[in-house]
Amino acid sequence: NAGVTQTPKFRVLKTGQSMTLLCAQDMNHEYMYWYRQDPGMGLRLIHYSVGEGTTAKGEVPDGYNVSRLKKQNFLLGLESAAPSQTSVYFCASSRQVGNQPQHFGDGTRLSIL
Amino acid sequence: AQRVTQPEKLLSVFKGAPVELKCNYSYSGSPELFWYVQYSRQRLQLLLRHISRESIKGFTADLNKGETSFHLKKPFAQEEDSAMYYCALSDTGGFKTIFGAGTRLFVKA
């Protein structure tokens, strides 16, 4: 099983450019999440989704948008990239029932110049 | 406010020595607590959760509600334990998980 797959794995952008990070899961999970990981700050939740067609803001949502048009996919968009968004981005998913552990993708390393 | 604190950014021990990775939390309800681990070049994965009360790879963690702590312990560290460890807290609804800043464990030969 692939589990959680993130594309791309690496990307370099110029300030002001836009891009979309794709997360796909094949476990039929209801919940999906986008985190950013920065040195000394752990993982911070950007946005999350509790089901198809629903999204909600996390801890650091500014500058990002998300969509969950299909249950298995969760897209993270940067409309106008800024150097402060240079980070490693992780997608995760989990089952709906109870407080289930999250399953993570390999991450996307994004650099904004 | 909900918060997870891992006071040590880096912990270095010798092989065979006991290891304890500290985790303190702040939460008003009944938390669900987890330890996640990220080995070099691998994805972040669940190590253990307090509700399971199990030992994984020799690691255990006890929830101390009085001290609001969930420290991760192993009596004899192995070189393969070298990794980044994250303590995490899930809220009552299970929608969101809050992660600590992480502790990098380095086990020396």
Side-chain angles (χ1 to χ4, degrees), chain A residues 2-5 31 33 35 37 40-43 45 48 50 57-58 90 94 98-106, chain B residues 9 30-32 34 36 38 42-46 49 84 86 90-102:
Chain A
V4 178
T5 303
Y31 296 174
Y33 312 83
Y35 295 91
Q37 182 186 45
M41 303 188 75
L43 280 81
L45 183 64
Y48 64 100
V50 299
K57 294 181 179 180
F90 287 97
S94 66
N99 288 312
Q100 296 296 314
Q102 297 183 13
H103 298 257
F104 285 83
D106 288 328
Chain B
K9 290 186 178 180
S30 295
E32 177 77 22
F34 306 83
Y36 287 82
Q38 188 174 26
Q42 294 187 26
R43 60 181 61 183
L44 194 64
Q45 58 188 288
L46 177 71
R49 55 191 299 195
M84 192 74 174
Y86 290 96
S90 179
D91 66 3
T92 304
F95 297 151
K96 293 189 291 185
T97 298
I98 299 167
F99 287 82

Side-chain angles (χ1 to χ4, degrees), chain B:
Chain B
Q2 302 171 13
R3 186 169 60 248
V4 176
T5 303
Q6 293 179 251
E8 303 137 330
K9 290 186 178 180
L10 174 67
L11 185 61
S12 183
V13 301
F14 282 102
K15 175 183 175 181
V19 61
E20 180 180 53
L21 286 79
K22 292 184 168 55
C23 173
N24 291 92
Y25 67 90
S26 174
Y27 185 68
S28 57
S30 295
E32 177 77 22
L33 287 152
F34 306 83
W35 275 99
Y36 287 82
V37 60
Q38 188 174 26
Y39 300 104
S40 179
R41 303 184 186 280
Q42 294 187 26
R43 60 181 61 183
L44 194 64
Q45 58 188 288
L46 177 71
L47 180 62
L48 56 79
R49 55 191 299 195
H50 91 270
I51 197 170
S52 301
R53 304 186 70 82
E54 56 189 348
S55 174
I56 305 294
K57 298 185 178 182
F59 284 98
T60 59
D62 290 322
L63 177 61
N64 186 323
K65 291 187 177 181
E67 296 182 358
T68 60
S69 67
F70 188 55
H71 302 329
L72 183 68
K73 301 177 182 179
K74 185 170 182 177
F76 308 103
Q78 303 299 314
E79 289 180 76
E80 55 265 30
D81 296 328
S82 295
M84 192 74 174
Y85 291 82
Y86 290 96
C87 181
L89 176 154
S90 179
D91 66 3
T92 304
F95 297 151
K96 293 189 291 185
T97 298
I98 299 167
F99 287 82
T103 297
R104 182 166 296 281
L105 174 64
F106 181 56
V107 181
K108 298 175 286 188

